Amino acid sequence: GQQLNQSPQSMFIQEGEDVSMNCTSSSIFNTWLWYKQDPGEGPVLLIALYKAGELTSNGRLTAQFGITRKDSFLNISASIPSDVGIYFCAGRGRGAGNMLTFGGGTRLMVKP
Amino acid sequence: GAVVSQHPSWVICKSGTSVKIECRSLDFQATTMFWYRQFPKQSLMLMATSNEGSKATYEQGVEKDKFLINHASLTLSTLTVTSAHPEDSSFYICSAPLRYLSYGYTFGSGTRLTVV
């Protein structure tokens, strides 16, 4: 089945630093989504991408849908302590109906 | 925005008992509901897809007789873990695609199941 490789698996950064994480796939996705999950909670949508090459921002977050449709990145600028959590990419591929495939997650830790 | 309300948020049960988890779409109709299981420090793994008025579709390796899914209405889907065992302890999350996919997918807040 389709798989997403998300990296890095974890990051420990200083408050104020920028963060970058990415997901790659061996197959094409038509939709890329980025979620954040806090402990004991369900994922919350951060950014949704629907077109190859699309670059979308949401406050300090910026995500891009790769031209090849096989990758996406998420950047967080000027990190703050509340950015701590697990970030997941998710993709919806051709013929997958509404089903999402999730990356393995990036655990972000921010040192004040 | 569209919300999926999931209950209970946590439950502890004895081995051999059954537990029901509910997910309700509060301000939209969810014709489809995805059920995920998440183990500590791992990603979400799709267990099954429920569709209103029809049988659920289970992913490979997921026992349909153990994880009973009912989607009897457009606003309610339930997952029942039958004869629970400690290895069923996990975080269970439901998710519904919104009518217009440009609005994305909304997730429930999850249910932490602990079987003792």
Side-chain angles (χ1 to χ4, degrees):
Chain A
Q2 296 169 323
Q3 293 187 357
L4 291 181
N5 297 310
Q6 184 171 349
S7 64
Q9 290 186 343
S10 62
M11 301 180 71
F12 189 34
I13 63 171
Q14 192 76 34
E15 180 179 1
E17 291 183 349
D18 296 341
V19 173
S20 183
M21 59 192 79
N22 68 85
C23 279
T24 60
S25 171
S26 58
S27 54
I28 290 174
F29 282 88
N30 292 332
T31 303
W32 284 94
L33 305 168
W34 284 93
Y35 287 89
K36 182 190 177 194
Q37 185 179 28
D38 292 325
E41 299 286 335
V44 174
L45 181 66
L46 298 175
I47 292 179
L49 304 161
Y50 301 100
K51 292 173 56 178
E54 180 180 355
L55 182 70
T56 298
S57 293
N58 178 8
R60 294 180 294 107
L61 278 62
T62 302
Q64 184 160 30
F65 191 144
I67 290 291
T68 64
R69 296 189 174 190
K70 294 183 179 181
D71 63 305
S72 176
F73 72 74
L74 173 70
N75 287 343
I76 305 173
S77 63
S79 59
I80 58 178
S82 61
D83 290 335
V84 166
I86 303 176
Y87 293 79
F88 289 101
C89 63
R92 183 173 68 91
R94 290 178 180 173
N98 291 330
M99 193 171 71
L100 291 180
T101 299
F102 280 84
T106 296
R107 182 179 298 272
L108 178 64
M109 293 159 281
V110 179
K111 184 179 180 181
Chain B
V3 172
V4 170
S5 177
Q6 183 171 350
H7 294 281
S9 56
W10 60 271
V11 58
I12 301 173
C13 70
K14 292 183 177 180
S15 289
T17 61
S18 296
V19 173
K20 179 185 284 188
I21 301 170
E22 292 188 349
C23 279
R24 295 180 183 273
S25 56
L26 297 185
D27 48 6
F28 70 102
Q29 293 181 332
T31 56
T32 299
M33 192 74 75
F34 299 106
W35 287 93
Y36 295 87
R37 180 165 53 184
Q38 186 179 31
F39 292 108
K41 298 187 179 181
Q42 294 189 21
S43 188
L44 286 76
M45 297 299 296
L46 182 66
M47 298 175 64
T49 304
S50 72
N51 293 290
E52 186 269 334
S54 63
K55 291 184 178 180
T57 302
Y58 291 81
E59 295 301 301
Q60 191 172 8
V62 178
E63 300 175 57
K64 62 178 67 177
D65 294 331
K66 181 170 189 60
F67 299 99
L68 300 179
I69 290 177
N70 185 282
H71 196 150
S73 77
L74 289 172
T75 59
L76 175 64
S77 178
T78 63
L79 167 67
T80 301
V81 183
T82 63
S83 187
H85 289 97
E87 56 265 30
D88 298 324
S89 298
S90 188
F91 193 57
Y92 293 86
I93 310 172
C94 59
S95 173
L98 301 178
R99 181 177 179 180
Y100 301 102
L101 288 180
S102 59
Y103 297 159
Y105 299 69
T106 186
F107 284 79
S109 55
T111 297
R112 170 75 59 195
L113 172 63
T114 302
V115 185
V116 297

